Amino acid sequence: MHPPTDTIGWTAQVIANLKFSKPLLKVGCKKVEVLELRKLLAHWNIDVDTVSDVFDNQLESAVKTFQRRVFLKEDGIVDAFTWQALYRGAPVDMPEIKRGCSGEAVKLLQSALKSTGAFPMDVDGKFGSLTEMSVRNFQRRQGLVADGIVGACTWRALSRIPR
């Protein structure tokens, strides 16, 4: 498969099937899929200087950059979730969160908003009125429905912000 030019055309089933057909990749691997990984990262504007089928430290760093962008664990290992995100160009398996929610997903949200300058408070993992206001403002600036609910479209827009 090649990186999509329009991710809207990819069905959830095609993306879900990727986890069964893509190997786990990490530093030291030498596989043809490493070339595919390099192409996918380049497609999403993640700098990969070399063209090689060897997974080296530079590629691990590029994978971590991509993982940070799409709210995945930054371990540099290309697992099923990382493959899915590479083909989607967006976060996968992120929860819908809104006012009243709390936890790690809210901390990720607040950190991402803080990096844009849209969240002036400390990251506390509690989705209160200030987080909701920040989300609504971010959604408006991105041309999204400003409902204060963080779903797939808002996660995708947040993943496009360099952090």
Side-chain angles (χ1 to χ4, degrees):
M1 278 187 212
H2 299 288
T5 55
D6 177 7
T7 57
I8 303 301
W10 287 74
T11 66
Q13 186 61 42
V14 169
I15 292 168
N17 286 340
L18 288 173
K19 67 182 172 187
F20 300 113
S21 63
K22 299 295 178 191
L24 183 89
L25 298 178
K26 59 185 178 180
V27 170
C29 287
K30 182 177 178 174
K31 297 184 179 197
V32 70
E33 288 87 358
V34 173
L35 291 169
E36 178 181 7
L37 170 61
R38 289 180 186 279
K39 288 178 185 176
L40 285 163
L41 288 167
H43 179 79
W44 299 117
N45 299 316
I46 304 290
D47 187 34
V48 285
D49 289 337
T50 59
V51 177
S52 168
D53 64 351
V54 177
F55 196 120
D56 57 16
N57 291 331
Q58 180 205 21
L59 186 55
E60 179 187 45
S61 178
V63 168
K64 286 179 180 179
T65 298
F66 181 78
Q67 289 171 325
R68 179 175 40 260
R69 183 184 291 177
V70 294
F71 309 105
L72 291 172
K73 180 180 175 186
E74 296 172 46
D75 58 9
I77 297 171
V78 183
D79 60 6
F81 284 116
T82 303
W83 278 115
Q84 290 176 45
L86 283 161
Y87 272 90
R88 278 184 161 177
V92 293
D93 206 31
M94 294 301 289
E96 181 178 281
I97 56 176
K98 58 186 174 185
R99 190 174 185 168
C101 291
S102 62
E104 290 304 310
V106 177
K107 286 181 182 179
L108 286 172
L109 166 67
Q110 290 172 332
S111 293
L113 289 170
K114 195 170 189 78
S115 74
T116 70
F119 188 71
M121 306 299 292
D122 288 334
V123 172
D124 64 3
K126 297 174 186 166
F127 200 129
S129 60
L130 291 174
T131 302
E132 182 180 34
M133 182 182 69
S134 296
V135 168
R136 286 179 188 270
N137 289 337
F138 175 78
Q139 289 170 326
R140 268 189 219 95
R141 286 193 314 275
Q142 297 297 311
L144 301 172
V145 174
D147 59 5
I149 299 170
V150 181
C153 291
T154 303
W155 283 118
R156 179 183 297 267
L158 286 164
S159 75
R160 303 272 189 268
I161 306 299
R163 302 186 309 286

